[in-house]
PDB file of all heavy atoms in Angstrom:
ATOM      1  N   GLY A  33     143.407-167.522  -1.958  1.00 96.00           N
ATOM      2  CA  GLY A  33     143.511-165.986  -2.159  1.00 96.00           C
ATOM      3  C   GLY A  33     144.713-165.908  -3.080  1.00 96.00           C
ATOM      4  O   GLY A  33     144.996-166.760  -3.926  1.00 96.00           O
ATOM      5  N   SER A  34     145.333-164.658  -2.921  1.00 97.00           N
ATOM      6  CA  SER A  34     146.480-164.272  -3.803  1.00 97.00           C
ATOM      7  C   SER A  34     147.810-164.574  -3.276  1.00 97.00           C
ATOM      8  O   SER A  34     147.927-164.800  -2.058  1.00 97.00           O
ATOM      9  CB  SER A  34     146.297-162.763  -4.131  1.00 97.00           C
ATOM     10  OG  SER A  34     147.331-162.322  -4.888  1.00 97.00           O
ATOM     11  N   SER A  35     148.771-164.752  -4.216  1.00 96.00           N
ATOM     12  CA  SER A  35     150.157-164.875  -3.807  1.00 96.00           C
ATOM     13  C   SER A  35     150.948-163.598  -3.771  1.00 96.00           C
ATOM     14  O   SER A  35     152.087-163.618  -3.764  1.00 96.00           O
ATOM     15  CB  SER A  35     150.788-165.938  -4.805  1.00 96.00           C
ATOM     16  OG  SER A  35     150.842-165.486  -6.043  1.00 96.00           O
ATOM     17  N   SER A  36     150.125-162.464  -3.787  1.00 97.00           N
ATOM     18  CA  SER A  36     150.716-161.149  -3.838  1.00 97.00           C
ATOM     19  C   SER A  36     149.892-160.184  -3.061  1.00 97.00           C
ATOM     20  O   SER A  36     148.624-160.353  -3.036  1.00 97.00           O
ATOM     21  CB  SER A  36     150.912-160.683  -5.313  1.00 97.00           C
ATOM     22  OG  SER A  36     151.208-159.248  -5.324  1.00 97.00           O
ATOM     23  N   SER A  39     148.563-157.760  -6.309  1.00 96.00           N
ATOM     24  CA  SER A  39     148.211-158.165  -7.643  1.00 96.00           C
ATOM     25  C   SER A  39     147.283-159.448  -7.501  1.00 96.00           C
ATOM     26  O   SER A  39     147.203-160.168  -6.553  1.00 96.00           O
ATOM     27  CB  SER A  39     149.435-158.614  -8.423  1.00 96.00           C
ATOM     28  OG  SER A  39     150.331-157.510  -8.548  1.00 96.00           O
ATOM     29  N   ASP A  40     146.381-159.691  -8.554  1.00 96.00           N
ATOM     30  CA  ASP A  40     145.485-160.665  -8.590  1.00 96.00           C
ATOM     31  C   ASP A  40     146.190-161.979  -9.156  1.00 96.00           C
ATOM     32  O   ASP A  40     145.969-162.468 -10.249  1.00 96.00           O
ATOM     33  CB  ASP A  40     144.296-160.357  -9.395  1.00 96.00           C
ATOM     34  CG  ASP A  40     143.674-159.045  -8.956  1.00 96.00           C
ATOM     35  OD1 ASP A  40     143.621-158.793  -7.753  1.00 96.00           O
ATOM     36  OD2 ASP A  40     143.038-158.330  -9.853  1.00 96.00           O
ATOM     37  N   ILE A  41     147.028-162.588  -8.271  1.00 94.00           N
ATOM     38  CA  ILE A  41     147.732-163.722  -8.754  1.00 94.00           C
ATOM     39  C   ILE A  41     147.384-164.874  -7.818  1.00 94.00           C
ATOM     40  O   ILE A  41     147.808-164.930  -6.620  1.00 94.00           O
ATOM     41  CB  ILE A  41     149.327-163.539  -8.698  1.00 94.00           C
ATOM     42  CG1 ILE A  41     149.755-162.239  -9.499  1.00 94.00           C
ATOM     43  CG2 ILE A  41     150.111-164.700  -9.183  1.00 94.00           C
ATOM     44  CD1 ILE A  41     151.139-161.853  -9.403  1.00 94.00           C
ATOM     45  N   GLU A  42     146.692-165.885  -8.318  1.00 92.00           N
ATOM     46  CA  GLU A  42     146.244-166.928  -7.486  1.00 92.00           C
ATOM     47  C   GLU A  42     147.290-167.736  -6.783  1.00 92.00           C
ATOM     48  O   GLU A  42     148.324-168.128  -7.377  1.00 92.00           O
ATOM     49  CB  GLU A  42     145.291-167.827  -8.180  1.00 92.00           C
ATOM     50  CG  GLU A  42     144.576-168.871  -7.360  1.00 92.00           C
ATOM     51  CD  GLU A  42     143.488-169.493  -8.131  1.00 92.00           C
ATOM     52  OE1 GLU A  42     142.558-168.924  -8.600  1.00 92.00           O
ATOM     53  OE2 GLU A  42     143.614-170.746  -8.289  1.00 92.00           O
ATOM     54  N   ALA A  43     147.204-168.018  -5.510  1.00 93.00           N
ATOM     55  CA  ALA A  43     148.175-168.750  -4.777  1.00 93.00           C
ATOM     56  C   ALA A  43     148.217-170.239  -5.342  1.00 93.00           C
ATOM     57  O   ALA A  43     147.316-170.631  -5.778  1.00 93.00           O
ATOM     58  CB  ALA A  43     147.802-168.692  -3.342  1.00 93.00           C
ATOM     59  N   LYS A  44     149.485-170.676  -5.171  1.00 90.00           N
ATOM     60  CA  LYS A  44     149.626-172.053  -5.616  1.00 90.00           C
ATOM     61  C   LYS A  44     149.010-173.144  -4.614  1.00 90.00           C
ATOM     62  O   LYS A  44     148.874-172.772  -3.455  1.00 90.00           O
ATOM     63  CB  LYS A  44     151.236-172.447  -5.754  1.00 90.00           C
ATOM     64  CG  LYS A  44     151.854-171.442  -6.662  1.00 90.00           C
ATOM     65  CD  LYS A  44     151.406-171.683  -8.170  1.00 90.00           C
ATOM     66  CE  LYS A  44     152.213-170.848  -9.144  1.00 90.00           C
ATOM     67  NZ  LYS A  44     151.693-170.998 -10.530  1.00 90.00           N
ATOM     68  N   LEU A 163     139.975-163.996  -9.044  1.00 97.00           N
ATOM     69  CA  LEU A 163     140.397-162.920  -8.116  1.00 97.00           C
ATOM     70  C   LEU A 163     140.327-161.505  -8.669  1.00 97.00           C
ATOM     71  O   LEU A 163     140.708-161.382  -9.914  1.00 97.00           O
ATOM     72  CB  LEU A 163     141.869-163.268  -7.756  1.00 97.00           C
ATOM     73  CG  LEU A 163     142.033-164.371  -6.629  1.00 97.00           C
ATOM     74  CD1 LEU A 163     143.514-164.611  -6.575  1.00 97.00           C
ATOM     75  CD2 LEU A 163     141.548-163.791  -5.246  1.00 97.00           C
ATOM     76  N   VAL A 166     142.904-157.296  -5.445  1.00 98.00           N
ATOM     77  CA  VAL A 166     143.878-157.564  -4.311  1.00 98.00           C
ATOM     78  C   VAL A 166     144.706-156.312  -4.274  1.00 98.00           C
ATOM     79  O   VAL A 166     145.223-155.772  -5.230  1.00 98.00           O
ATOM     80  CB  VAL A 166     144.743-158.812  -4.713  1.00 98.00           C
ATOM     81  CG1 VAL A 166     145.800-158.926  -3.574  1.00 98.00           C
ATOM     82  CG2 VAL A 166     143.864-159.987  -4.718  1.00 98.00           C
TER      83      VAL A 166
END
Side-chain angles (χ1 to χ4, degrees):
S34 181
S35 61
S36 167
S39 300
D40 306 328
I41 305 172
E42 187 167 299
K44 300 296 183 182
L163 278 171
V166 177

